[in-house]
Coordinates of all heavy atoms in Angstrom, one line a residue:
M149 N -16.1 12.5 14.1 CA -15.5 12.3 12.7 C -15.5 10.8 12.5 O -15.1 10.0 13.4 CB -14.1 12.9 12.7 CG -13.4 12.6 11.4 SD -12.0 13.6 11.0 CE -10.9 13.3 12.3
T150 N -15.8 10.4 11.3 CA -15.8 9.0 10.9 C -14.4 8.6 10.4 O -13.8 9.3 9.6 CB -16.8 8.8 9.8 OG1 -18.0 9.2 10.2 CG2 -16.9 7.3 9.4
R151 N -13.9 7.5 10.9 CA -12.6 7.0 10.4 C -12.8 6.3 9.1 O -13.8 5.7 8.8 CB -12.0 6.0 11.4 CG -11.5 6.5 12.7 CD -10.9 5.5 13.5 NE -9.7 4.9 12.9 CZ -8.4 5.2 13.1 NH1 -8.2 6.2 14.0 NH2 -7.4 4.7 12.5
P152 N -11.8 6.5 8.2 CA -11.9 5.8 6.9 C -11.8 4.4 7.0 O -11.2 3.8 7.9 CB -10.7 6.4 6.1 CG -9.7 6.8 7.1 CD -10.6 7.2 8.3
K153 N -12.5 3.6 6.1 CA -12.4 2.2 6.0 C -11.0 1.8 5.6 O -10.5 2.3 4.6 CB -13.4 1.6 5.1 CG -13.5 0.1 5.1 CD -14.5 -0.4 4.1 CE -14.5 -1.9 4.1 NZ -15.3 -2.4 3.1
H154 N -10.4 0.8 6.3 CA -9.1 0.4 5.9 C -9.2 -1.0 5.2 O -10.2 -1.7 5.3 CB -8.2 0.2 7.2 CG -8.0 1.5 7.9 ND1 -7.2 2.5 7.4 CD2 -8.6 2.1 9.0 CE1 -7.3 3.6 8.2 NE2 -8.1 3.3 9.1
S155 N -8.1 -1.3 4.4 CA -8.2 -2.5 3.6 C -8.0 -3.8 4.4 O -8.4 -4.8 3.9 CB -7.1 -2.4 2.5 OG -5.8 -2.2 3.1
A156 N -7.4 -3.7 5.5 CA -7.1 -5.0 6.3 C -7.6 -4.9 7.7 O -7.7 -3.8 8.2 CB -5.6 -5.2 6.3
E157 N -7.9 -6.0 8.2 CA -8.4 -6.1 9.6 C -7.2 -5.7 10.5 O -6.1 -5.9 10.2 CB -8.8 -7.5 9.9 CG -10.0 -8.0 9.1 CD -11.3 -7.2 9.4 OE1 -11.5 -6.8 10.6 OE2 -12.0 -6.9 8.5
P158 N -7.6 -5.2 11.7 CA -6.5 -4.7 12.7 C -5.4 -5.8 12.9 O -4.3 -5.5 12.9 CB -7.3 -4.4 13.9 CG -8.6 -4.0 13.4 CD -8.9 -4.9 12.3
A159 N -5.8 -7.1 13.1 CA -4.8 -8.1 13.5 C -3.9 -8.3 12.3 O -2.7 -8.5 12.4 CB -5.5 -9.4 13.8
V160 N -4.5 -8.3 11.0 CA -3.7 -8.5 9.8 C -2.7 -7.3 9.7 O -1.5 -7.5 9.4 CB -4.6 -8.6 8.6 CG1 -3.8 -8.6 7.3 CG2 -5.4 -9.9 8.7
W161 N -3.2 -6.1 9.9 CA -2.3 -4.9 9.8 C -1.2 -5.0 10.8 O -0.1 -4.7 10.5 CB -3.2 -3.6 10.1 CG -2.4 -2.4 10.3 CD1 -2.1 -1.8 11.5 CD2 -1.6 -1.7 9.3 NE1 -1.2 -0.7 11.3 CE2 -0.9 -0.7 9.9 CE3 -1.5 -1.9 7.9 CZ2 -0.1 0.2 9.2 CZ3 -0.7 -1.0 7.2 CH2 0.0 0.1 7.9
N162 N -1.5 -5.4 12.1 CA -0.5 -5.5 13.1 C 0.6 -6.5 12.7 O 1.8 -6.3 12.9 CB -1.1 -5.8 14.5 CG -1.9 -4.6 15.0 OD1 -1.6 -3.5 14.7 ND2 -2.8 -5.0 15.9
E163 N 0.2 -7.6 12.1 CA 1.1 -8.6 11.7 C 2.0 -8.1 10.5 O 3.2 -8.3 10.5 CB 0.4 -9.9 11.2 CG -0.2 -10.7 12.3 CD -1.0 -11.9 11.8 OE1 -0.7 -12.4 10.7 OE2 -2.0 -12.3 12.5
F164 N 1.4 -7.3 9.6 CA 2.1 -6.8 8.5 C 3.2 -5.8 9.1 O 4.4 -5.9 8.7 CB 1.2 -6.0 7.6 CG 1.9 -5.3 6.4 CD1 2.2 -6.1 5.3 CD2 2.3 -4.0 6.5 CE1 2.9 -5.5 4.2 CE2 2.9 -3.4 5.4 CZ 3.2 -4.2 4.3
V165 N 2.8 -4.9 10.0 CA 3.8 -4.0 10.6 C 4.9 -4.7 11.3 O 6.1 -4.3 11.3 CB 3.0 -3.0 11.5 CG1 4.0 -2.1 12.3 CG2 2.1 -2.1 10.7
A166 N 4.6 -5.8 12.0 CA 5.6 -6.5 12.7 C 6.6 -7.2 11.8 O 7.8 -7.4 12.1 CB 4.9 -7.6 13.6
R167 N 6.2 -7.5 10.6 CA 7.1 -8.2 9.6 C 7.8 -7.3 8.6 O 8.8 -7.7 8.0 CB 6.3 -9.2 8.8 CG 5.8 -10.4 9.5 CD 5.2 -11.5 8.5 NE 4.5 -10.9 7.3 CZ 3.1 -10.8 7.3 NH1 2.4 -11.1 8.3 NH2 2.6 -10.3 6.2
H168 N 7.3 -6.0 8.5 CA 7.9 -5.1 7.5 C 8.3 -3.8 8.1 O 7.7 -3.4 9.1 CB 6.9 -4.9 6.4 CG 6.5 -6.2 5.7 ND1 7.3 -6.8 4.8 CD2 5.4 -6.9 5.8 CE1 6.7 -7.9 4.3 NE2 5.5 -7.9 4.9
A169 N 9.2 -3.1 7.5 CA 9.6 -1.8 8.0 C 9.9 -0.9 6.8 O 10.0 -1.4 5.6 CB 10.9 -1.9 8.8
S170 N 10.0 0.4 7.0 CA 10.3 1.4 6.0 C 11.7 0.9 5.3 O 12.6 0.5 6.0 CB 10.5 2.8 6.5 OG 9.2 3.2 7.0
G171 N 11.7 1.0 4.0 CA 12.9 0.6 3.3 C 12.8 -0.8 2.7 O 13.6 -1.2 1.9
G172 N 11.9 -1.7 3.3 CA 11.8 -3.0 2.9 C 11.2 -3.1 1.5 O 10.4 -2.3 1.1
V173 N 11.6 -4.1 0.7 CA 11.1 -4.4 -0.7 C 10.2 -5.6 -0.6 O 10.6 -6.6 0.0 CB 12.3 -4.6 -1.6 CG1 11.8 -5.0 -3.0 CG2 13.2 -3.4 -1.7
I174 N 9.1 -5.4 -1.2 CA 8.1 -6.5 -1.3 C 7.4 -6.5 -2.7 O 7.4 -5.5 -3.4 CB 7.0 -6.4 -0.3 CG1 6.4 -5.0 -0.2 CG2 7.5 -6.8 1.1 CD1 5.4 -4.8 0.9
D175 N 6.9 -7.7 -3.1 CA 6.2 -7.8 -4.3 C 4.7 -7.5 -4.0 O 4.2 -8.0 -3.0 CB 6.4 -9.2 -5.0 CG 7.7 -9.4 -5.6 OD1 8.3 -8.4 -6.1 OD2 8.2 -10.5 -5.5
G176 N 4.0 -6.9 -4.9 CA 2.6 -6.7 -4.7 C 1.8 -6.8 -6.0 O 2.4 -6.9 -7.1
T177 N 0.5 -6.7 -5.9 CA -0.4 -6.8 -7.1 C -1.2 -5.5 -7.1 O -1.7 -5.0 -6.1 CB -1.3 -7.9 -7.0 OG1 -0.6 -9.2 -6.8 CG2 -2.2 -8.0 -8.2
V178 N -1.2 -4.9 -8.3 CA -2.0 -3.6 -8.5 C -3.4 -4.0 -8.4 O -4.0 -4.8 -9.1 CB -1.6 -3.0 -9.9 CG1 -2.5 -1.7 -10.1 CG2 -0.2 -2.7 -10.0
V179 N -4.1 -3.3 -7.4 CA -5.5 -3.5 -7.2 C -6.4 -2.6 -8.1 O -7.3 -2.9 -8.7 CB -5.9 -3.4 -5.7 CG1 -7.3 -3.5 -5.5 CG2 -5.1 -4.4 -4.9
S180 N -6.0 -1.3 -8.0 CA -6.7 -0.3 -8.8 C -5.8 0.9 -9.1 O -4.8 1.1 -8.4 CB -8.0 0.2 -8.0 OG -7.6 0.8 -6.8
V181 N -6.1 1.6 -10.1 CA -5.4 2.8 -10.5 C -6.4 4.0 -10.5 O -7.5 3.9 -11.0 CB -4.8 2.6 -11.9 CG1 -4.0 3.9 -12.3 CG2 -3.9 1.4 -12.0
V182 N -6.0 5.1 -9.8 CA -6.8 6.2 -9.6 C -6.0 7.4 -10.1 O -4.8 7.3 -10.4 CB -7.2 6.4 -8.1 CG1 -8.2 5.3 -7.7 CG2 -6.0 6.4 -7.2
P183 N -6.6 8.6 -10.3 CA -5.8 9.7 -10.8 C -4.6 10.1 -10.1 O -3.6 10.6 -10.7 CB -6.8 10.9 -10.8 CG -8.2 10.2 -10.8 CD -8.0 8.9 -10.1
F184 N -4.5 9.8 -8.8 CA -3.3 10.3 -8.0 C -2.3 9.1 -7.7 O -1.3 9.3 -7.1 CB -3.8 10.9 -6.7 CG -4.7 10.0 -5.9 CD1 -4.2 9.1 -5.0 CD2 -6.1 10.2 -6.0 CE1 -5.1 8.3 -4.3 CE2 -6.9 9.4 -5.3 CZ -6.4 8.5 -4.4
G185 N -2.7 7.9 -8.1 CA -1.7 6.8 -7.9 C -2.4 5.4 -8.1 O -3.4 5.3 -8.7
A186 N -1.7 4.4 -7.6 CA -2.2 3.1 -7.7 C -2.2 2.4 -6.4 O -1.2 2.6 -5.6 CB -1.3 2.2 -8.7
F187 N -3.2 1.7 -6.0 CA -3.3 0.9 -4.8 C -2.7 -0.5 -5.1 O -3.1 -1.1 -6.0 CB -4.7 0.9 -4.3 CG -5.1 2.2 -3.7 CD1 -5.9 3.0 -4.4 CD2 -4.7 2.6 -2.4 CE1 -6.3 4.3 -3.9 CE2 -5.0 3.8 -1.9 CZ -5.8 4.7 -2.6
I188 N -1.8 -0.9 -4.3 CA -1.1 -2.1 -4.4 C -1.3 -3.0 -3.2 O -1.2 -2.6 -2.1 CB 0.5 -1.9 -4.5 CG1 0.9 -0.8 -5.4 CG2 1.2 -3.2 -4.8 CD1 0.6 -1.0 -6.9
D189 N -1.8 -4.3 -3.5 CA -2.0 -5.2 -2.4 C -0.6 -5.8 -2.1 O 0.0 -6.5 -3.0 CB -2.9 -6.3 -2.8 CG -3.2 -7.3 -1.7 OD1 -2.4 -7.6 -0.9 OD2 -4.4 -7.8 -1.7
V190 N -0.1 -5.5 -0.9 CA 1.3 -5.9 -0.6 C 1.2 -7.2 0.3 O 2.3 -7.6 0.9 CB 2.1 -4.8 0.1 CG1 2.4 -3.7 -1.0 CG2 1.3 -4.2 1.3
G191 N 0.1 -7.8 0.4 CA 0.0 -9.1 1.2 C -1.2 -9.0 2.2 O -1.4 -8.1 2.9
D192 N -1.9 -10.1 2.2 CA -3.0 -10.3 3.2 C -4.0 -9.2 3.2 O -4.6 -8.9 4.2 CB -2.4 -10.5 4.6 CG -1.5 -11.7 4.7 OD1 -1.8 -12.7 4.1 OD2 -0.5 -11.6 5.4
G193 N -4.2 -8.6 2.0 CA -5.3 -7.6 2.0 C -4.8 -6.2 2.4 O -5.6 -5.2 2.5
V194 N -3.5 -6.0 2.7 CA -3.0 -4.7 3.1 C -2.7 -4.0 1.8 O -2.0 -4.5 0.9 CB -1.7 -4.8 4.0 CG1 -1.1 -3.5 4.2 CG2 -2.0 -5.5 5.3
H195 N -3.2 -2.8 1.6 CA -3.0 -2.0 0.4 C -2.2 -0.8 0.7 O -2.4 -0.1 1.7 CB -4.4 -1.6 -0.2 CG -5.2 -2.7 -0.6 ND1 -6.5 -2.5 -1.0 CD2 -5.0 -4.0 -0.7 CE1 -7.1 -3.7 -1.4 NE2 -6.2 -4.6 -1.2
G196 N -1.2 -0.6 -0.2 CA -0.4 0.6 -0.1 C -0.6 1.5 -1.3 O -1.1 1.0 -2.3
L197 N -0.2 2.7 -1.2 CA -0.3 3.7 -2.3 C 1.0 3.9 -3.0 O 2.0 4.3 -2.3 CB -0.9 5.0 -1.8 CG -1.0 6.1 -2.9 CD1 -2.0 5.7 -4.0 CD2 -1.5 7.4 -2.3
L198 N 1.0 3.7 -4.3 CA 2.2 4.1 -5.1 C 1.7 5.4 -5.8 O 0.9 5.3 -6.7 CB 2.5 2.9 -6.1 CG 3.6 3.2 -7.1 CD1 4.9 3.4 -6.4 CD2 3.7 2.1 -8.1
H199 N 2.3 6.5 -5.4 CA 1.9 7.8 -5.9 C 2.2 7.9 -7.4 O 3.2 7.4 -7.9 CB 2.6 8.9 -5.1 CG 1.9 10.3 -5.4 ND1 2.3 11.1 -6.4 CD2 0.9 10.9 -4.7 CE1 1.6 12.2 -6.4 NE2 0.7 12.1 -5.4
E200 N 1.4 8.5 -8.2 CA 1.5 8.6 -9.6 C 2.8 9.3 -10.0 O 3.3 9.0 -11.0 CB 0.3 9.2 -10.2 CG -0.1 10.6 -10.5 CD 0.8 11.5 -11.3 OE1 1.2 11.2 -12.5 OE2 1.1 12.5 -10.7
S201 N 3.3 10.2 -9.2 CA 4.6 10.9 -9.5 C 5.8 9.9 -9.5 O 6.8 10.2 -10.1 CB 4.8 12.0 -8.6 OG 5.1 11.5 -7.2
A202 N 5.6 8.7 -8.9 CA 6.7 7.7 -8.9 C 6.6 6.7 -10.0 O 7.5 5.9 -10.2 CB 6.6 7.0 -7.5
W203 N 5.6 6.8 -10.8 CA 5.5 5.8 -11.9 C 6.5 6.1 -13.1 O 6.7 7.2 -13.4 CB 4.1 5.9 -12.6 CG 2.9 5.6 -11.8 CD1 2.9 4.9 -10.6 CD2 1.5 5.9 -12.1 NE1 1.6 4.8 -10.1 CE2 0.8 5.4 -11.1 CE3 0.9 6.5 -13.2 CZ2 -0.6 5.5 -11.1 CZ3 -0.4 6.6 -13.2 CH2 -1.2 6.1 -12.1
G204 N 7.0 5.1 -13.6 CA 7.8 5.2 -14.8 C 6.7 5.1 -16.0 O 6.7 5.9 -16.8
T205 N 5.9 4.0 -15.8 CA 4.8 3.9 -16.7 C 3.5 3.5 -15.9 O 3.7 3.0 -14.8 CB 5.0 2.7 -17.8 OG1 5.2 1.5 -17.0 CG2 6.1 3.0 -18.7
R206 N 2.4 3.8 -16.4 CA 1.1 3.5 -15.6 C 1.0 2.0 -15.4 O 1.0 1.3 -16.4 CB 0.0 4.1 -16.4 CG -1.4 3.9 -15.7 CD -2.5 4.4 -16.7 NE -3.8 4.0 -16.2 CZ -4.6 4.8 -15.5 NH1 -4.2 6.1 -15.3 NH2 -5.7 4.4 -15.1
P207 N 0.9 1.6 -14.1 CA 0.7 0.2 -13.9 C -0.7 -0.3 -14.3 O -1.7 0.5 -14.2 CB 0.9 0.1 -12.4 CG 0.6 1.4 -11.8 CD 0.9 2.4 -12.9
E208 N -0.9 -1.5 -14.6 CA -2.2 -2.1 -15.0 C -2.7 -2.9 -13.9 O -2.0 -3.7 -13.2 CB -2.0 -3.0 -16.2 CG -1.7 -2.2 -17.5 CD -2.7 -1.2 -18.0 OE1 -3.9 -1.6 -17.8 OE2 -2.4 -0.1 -18.4
P209 N -4.0 -2.8 -13.6 CA -4.6 -3.6 -12.5 C -4.3 -5.1 -12.8 O -4.4 -5.5 -13.9 CB -6.1 -3.3 -12.6 CG -6.1 -1.9 -13.2 CD -5.0 -1.8 -14.1
G210 N -4.0 -5.8 -11.8 CA -3.6 -7.2 -11.9 C -2.2 -7.5 -12.1 O -1.7 -8.6 -11.9
S211 N -1.4 -6.5 -12.5 CA 0.0 -6.7 -12.7 C 0.8 -6.8 -11.4 O 0.4 -6.2 -10.4 CB 0.6 -5.6 -13.6 OG 0.6 -4.4 -13.0
R212 N 1.9 -7.5 -11.4 CA 2.8 -7.7 -10.2 C 3.9 -6.6 -10.3 O 4.4 -6.3 -11.4 CB 3.4 -9.0 -10.2 CG 2.4 -10.2 -10.1 CD 1.9 -10.5 -8.8 NE 2.9 -10.8 -7.8 CZ 2.8 -10.8 -6.5 NH1 1.6 -10.5 -6.0 NH2 3.8 -11.1 -5.7
V213 N 4.1 -6.0 -9.2 CA 5.2 -5.0 -9.1 C 6.0 -5.1 -7.9 O 5.5 -5.6 -6.8 CB 4.6 -3.5 -9.1 CG1 3.9 -3.2 -10.5 CG2 3.6 -3.4 -8.0
A214 N 7.3 -4.8 -8.0 CA 8.2 -4.8 -6.8 C 8.2 -3.4 -6.3 O 8.4 -2.4 -7.1 CB 9.6 -5.2 -7.2
V215 N 7.9 -3.2 -5.0 CA 7.8 -1.9 -4.4 C 8.7 -1.8 -3.1 O 8.9 -2.9 -2.5 CB 6.4 -1.5 -4.1 CG1 5.6 -1.2 -5.4 CG2 5.7 -2.5 -3.2
R216 N 9.1 -0.6 -2.8 CA 9.8 -0.4 -1.6 C 8.9 0.4 -0.6 O 8.2 1.3 -1.1 CB 11.1 0.4 -1.8 CG 11.9 0.7 -0.5 CD 13.2 1.4 -0.9 NE 14.0 0.8 -1.9 CZ 14.8 -0.3 -1.8 NH1 15.0 -0.8 -0.6 NH2 15.5 -0.8 -2.8
I217 N 8.9 0.0 0.6 CA 8.0 0.7 1.6 C 8.7 2.1 1.9 O 9.8 2.1 2.5 CB 7.8 -0.1 2.9 CG1 7.1 -1.4 2.6 CG2 7.1 0.7 3.9 CD1 7.0 -2.4 3.7
L218 N 8.0 3.1 1.6 CA 8.6 4.5 1.8 C 8.3 4.9 3.2 O 9.1 5.5 3.9 CB 7.9 5.4 0.8 CG 8.5 6.8 0.6 CD1 9.9 6.8 0.2 CD2 7.7 7.6 -0.4
A219 N 7.0 4.6 3.7 CA 6.6 5.0 5.0 C 5.5 4.1 5.5 O 4.6 3.7 4.7 CB 6.2 6.5 5.1
L220 N 5.4 3.9 6.8 CA 4.3 3.1 7.4 C 3.7 4.1 8.4 O 4.3 4.6 9.3 CB 4.8 1.9 8.2 CG 5.2 0.7 7.4 CD1 5.9 -0.3 8.3 CD2 4.0 0.1 6.7
D221 N 2.4 4.4 8.2 CA 1.7 5.3 9.1 C 0.8 4.4 9.9 O -0.3 4.0 9.6 CB 0.8 6.3 8.3 CG 0.0 7.2 9.2 OD1 -0.2 7.0 10.4 OD2 -0.6 8.2 8.6
V222 N 1.4 4.0 11.1 CA 0.8 3.0 11.9 C -0.5 3.4 12.5 O -1.5 2.6 12.4 CB 1.7 2.5 13.1 CG1 1.0 1.5 14.0 CG2 3.0 1.9 12.5
E223 N -0.6 4.6 12.9 CA -1.9 5.1 13.5 C -3.0 5.1 12.5 O -4.2 4.8 12.8 CB -1.6 6.6 14.0 CG -2.9 7.1 14.7 CD -2.6 8.5 15.3 OE1 -1.5 8.8 15.8 OE2 -3.6 9.3 15.3
N224 N -2.8 5.6 11.3 CA -3.8 5.6 10.3 C -3.9 4.4 9.4 O -4.7 4.3 8.4 CB -3.7 6.9 9.4 CG -3.9 8.1 10.2 OD1 -5.0 8.3 10.8 ND2 -2.9 9.0 10.3
R225 N -3.0 3.4 9.6 CA -2.9 2.1 8.9 C -2.8 2.4 7.4 O -3.6 2.0 6.6 CB -4.1 1.3 9.2 CG -4.1 0.8 10.6 CD -5.2 0.0 11.1 NE -5.9 -0.8 10.1 CZ -7.2 -1.2 10.3 NH1 -7.9 -0.8 11.3 NH2 -7.8 -1.9 9.4
R226 N -1.7 3.2 7.0 CA -1.4 3.5 5.6 C 0.0 3.1 5.3 O 0.9 3.3 6.1 CB -1.7 5.0 5.4 CG -3.1 5.4 5.5 CD -3.3 6.8 5.2 NE -4.7 7.2 5.3 CZ -5.2 8.4 5.4 NH1 -4.3 9.4 5.4 NH2 -6.4 8.6 5.6
V227 N 0.2 2.7 4.0 CA 1.5 2.3 3.6 C 1.8 3.2 2.3 O 1.0 3.2 1.4 CB 1.6 0.8 3.2 CG1 3.0 0.5 2.7 CG2 1.2 0.0 4.3
S228 N 2.9 3.9 2.3 CA 3.3 4.7 1.2 C 4.4 3.9 0.5 O 5.3 3.4 1.1 CB 3.9 6.0 1.6 OG 2.9 6.8 2.2
L229 N 4.3 3.8 -0.9 CA 5.2 2.9 -1.6 C 6.0 3.7 -2.7 O 5.5 4.8 -3.1 CB 4.4 1.8 -2.3 CG 3.6 0.9 -1.3 CD1 2.7 0.1 -2.2 CD2 4.5 0.1 -0.5
T230 N 7.1 3.2 -3.1 CA 7.9 3.7 -4.2 C 8.4 2.5 -5.0 O 8.4 1.4 -4.5 CB 9.0 4.6 -3.7 OG1 9.6 5.3 -4.8 CG2 10.1 3.8 -3.0
P231 N 8.6 2.7 -6.3 CA 9.1 1.5 -7.1 C 10.4 1.0 -6.5 O 11.3 1.8 -6.0 CB 9.4 2.1 -8.4 CG 8.5 3.3 -8.5 CD 8.4 3.8 -7.2
A232 N 10.6 -0.3 -6.5 CA 11.9 -0.9 -6.0 C 12.9 -0.9 -7.1 O 12.6 -0.9 -8.2 CB 11.6 -2.3 -5.5

C-alpha cells in the first residue's frame, strides 16, 4: 500500500508536534477549500483540516484564521482543526 503524500517533511512535522498539543490555538492561512473542508497551513508547511461542518462561513483561500487543534494523528501526520 502506498502512503499518502504529506504536506511537511518528517523533521518539520516532528518539530510541530513537539511545540503543539491538542487544544492549542494557532493562527493559520487557508491553503485550499474542498467539498469536505478547508486545508489550513498552521506553520512551516504543516497543513491541517478544518472540516466543513465546523465552518460558520466558507473560508477563502489566502485568508487568516484562528483555529484550535482538535486532534493530532502522529502516525499518519494529520492535524484536525476546529474554529478557535
Side-chain angles (χ1 to χ4, degrees):
M149 175 163 60
T150 305
R151 287 185 63 100
K153 182 179 178 186
H154 299 285
S155 57
E157 295 297 320
V160 172
W161 170 255
N162 291 335
E163 288 177 29
F164 179 84
V165 170
R167 289 190 324 263
H168 300 284
S170 293
V173 175
I174 49 181
D175 288 326
T177 303
V178 178
V179 176
S180 63
V181 179
V182 294
F184 54 87
F187 287 99
I188 312 293
D189 185 325
V190 290
D192 300 322
V194 175
H195 295 174
L197 177 64
L198 177 62
H199 195 272
E200 90 54 58
S201 65
W203 297 346
T205 58
R206 180 184 171 100
E208 293 295 322
S211 63
R212 300 281 298 164
V213 293
V215 291
R216 182 176 309 278
I217 299 172
L218 191 58
L220 287 169
D221 180 347
V222 176
E223 183 177 326
N224 293 304
R225 293 176 30 205
R226 293 183 181 162
V227 182
S228 297
L229 304 168
T230 191

